[in-house]
Amino acid sequence: MTPQPTAGPDGAVETVFRMEFPRVVAAVARIVRDVGIAEELAQDALVAALEQWPRDGVPDNPGAWLTATARHRAVDLVRRRETYARKLAEIGRDADLVTAPPEPPADPDDIDDDLLRLVFTACHPALSAEARTALTLRLLGGLTTAEIARAFLVPEATVAQRIVRAKRTLARKNVAFEVPYGPDREARLGSVLDVIYLIFNEGYAATAGDDWLRPALCEDALRLARVLAGLMPKEPEVHGLTALLEFQASRTAARTGPEGEPVLLADQNRARWNRMLIARGVAALARADAVASGPPGPYVLQAAIAACHAHAYRYEETDWHRIAALYALLAARTPSPVVELNRAVAVSMAEGPEAALPLVDALTEVPALRDYHLLPSVRGDLLSRLGRAAAARQEFTRAAELAGNAREREMLRRRAEEMGG
């Protein structure tokens, strides 16, 4: 378990360790090729620091000290393995070369960064989406098992099992600690971006529990996206995701009212939007466009949609025609009933509710949306704008029944009551 920062002489050690934890694990995993063992060795380095730093003082570069200590223990472990001598004979190298810097990659497309390798390993497709998310937050976000469980409102034992099983799966399948090449990289990168986006969304609009927002999760996801953008500067989708999260995070302060209740986009006080984050989003989107060599990917398109909202100082100034067009491109790029539902909302704002209602009605028979509360919510809004209050009330009532988040459920019930009947 990653230690919590504490006061007292040991507090500095634990705080530094928490900050450096992902890089220490990444550096060690490259040697032992096992993230579970790498984490244990990182913990051993922490124990050594807790013993030595209070006595000898904190090193000038504490992160490098922790990494060097963990790497030394990793090399010792490798040397003790029974297969080590055979491996040396096969590759004809001296044992000391285990810790030597790697040779420059022959492939110009290679990315030689331990932290990036850890990202791709934690998000390997051999793992379930839940396992990828838990392992990413554990190894890259530095969160404890208890913190992850609290963020996703699941028992701590459940998160612990997911993490343990994920490590065992990676070890059993002998997953290479590497960044894949070519088409494999594109496929794996999609998984990495999806995990980060899932983490952000769970903080931005919680699917369950009493709180509408969980800002800490949003901050963790945004930090991971920024790190990934620095590690993969030539990947437009990485910059696209970063831009999207910057834009979305800029609205956080305006998305809840005094009692923690949700505030819809149309009702938000845009003076409370964070203009610094918006500027960061604009810059990230520009970087995505600058390195793009083909049509925009799904995260770049979603970032472009978010930019339309960010550029509108008043709700009435929103360019809904452009947003509808961007959703049409997104639907063609990555067909999804949720994207179609969002496109219908944009069409309703650009062309009126009567143009959008048939699009929404066509989605009512889609199995994937059968229990999706936003479908009846959107339909209720369209019916309300068309003056069909009784039908709108039914839709809002059904949406409230399906909503897992308490704050959102209250809002939908209130909307149903406003329809009378």
Side-chain angles (χ1 to χ4, degrees), residues 370-389:
R370 185 168 295 132
D371 296 322
Y372 187 52
H373 70 285
L374 291 182
L375 177 58
S377 175
V378 169
R379 194 167 188 276
D381 183 69
L382 297 180
L383 292 169
S384 172
R385 290 163 59 189
L386 290 169
R388 297 165 58 180

Side-chain angles (χ1 to χ4, degrees), residues 181-307:
Y181 294 100
D184 288 341
R185 178 183 298 173
E186 182 177 351
R188 290 272 296 281
L189 179 60
S191 172
V192 172
L193 299 181
D194 289 347
V195 166
I196 295 175
Y197 193 37
L198 187 154
I199 294 169
F200 182 89
N201 279 339
E202 188 58 33
Y204 193 69
T207 56
D210 297 329
D211 298 321
W212 173 239
L213 290 175
R214 296 180 197 146
L217 272 182
C218 293
E219 292 167 5
D220 286 325
L222 187 51
R223 177 164 52 86
L224 290 174
R226 289 170 179 167
V227 168
L228 195 60
L231 296 174
M232 305 186 73
K234 296 182 180 180
E235 293 287 350
E237 277 291 85
V238 174
H239 294 302
L241 175 65
T242 306
L244 174 60
L245 300 195
E246 301 279 12
F247 286 132
Q248 299 286 64
S250 72
R251 306 179 204 160
T252 300
R255 295 187 71 244
T256 54
E259 304 300 323
E261 71 277 11
V263 178
L264 298 177
L265 183 63
D267 302 321
Q268 289 175 15
N269 178 3
R270 301 193 175 205
R272 300 187 68 195
W273 285 8
N274 189 318
R275 290 292 153 183
M276 182 190 71
L277 292 180
I278 290 175
R280 292 182 66 112
V282 170
L285 188 56
R287 285 192 291 271
D289 292 337
V291 300
S293 59
Y299 284 112
V300 171
L301 288 170
Q302 290 179 77
I305 292 168

Side-chain angles (χ1 to χ4, degrees), residues 105-164:
D107 190 327
D109 197 33
D110 188 28
I111 301 177
D112 186 25
D113 188 288
D114 290 339
L115 191 59
L116 187 58
R117 296 172 197 270
L118 185 60
V119 172
F120 276 88
T121 302
C123 297
H124 195 278
L127 306 177
S128 68
E130 294 82 4
R132 292 178 213 166
T133 301
L135 194 60
T136 299
L137 285 173
R138 179 76 184 92
L139 298 180
L140 293 153
L143 274 66
T144 65
T145 303
E147 287 170 332
I148 300 170
R150 195 158 54 243
F152 285 92
L153 302 181
V154 296
E156 186 174 347
T158 299
V159 173
Q161 289 174 358
R162 288 175 183 172
I163 293 173
V164 169

Side-chain angles (χ1 to χ4, degrees), residues 6 19 55 59 105 112 160 165 178 204 238 242 249 260 263 278 321 343 350 362 366 408:
T6 60
M19 294 171 59
R55 182 189 67 226
D112 186 25
R165 288 171 182 167
E178 65 182 9
Y204 193 69
V238 174
T242 306
V263 178
I278 290 175
H321 288 281
R343 184 173 76 87
V366 176
E408 196 169 14

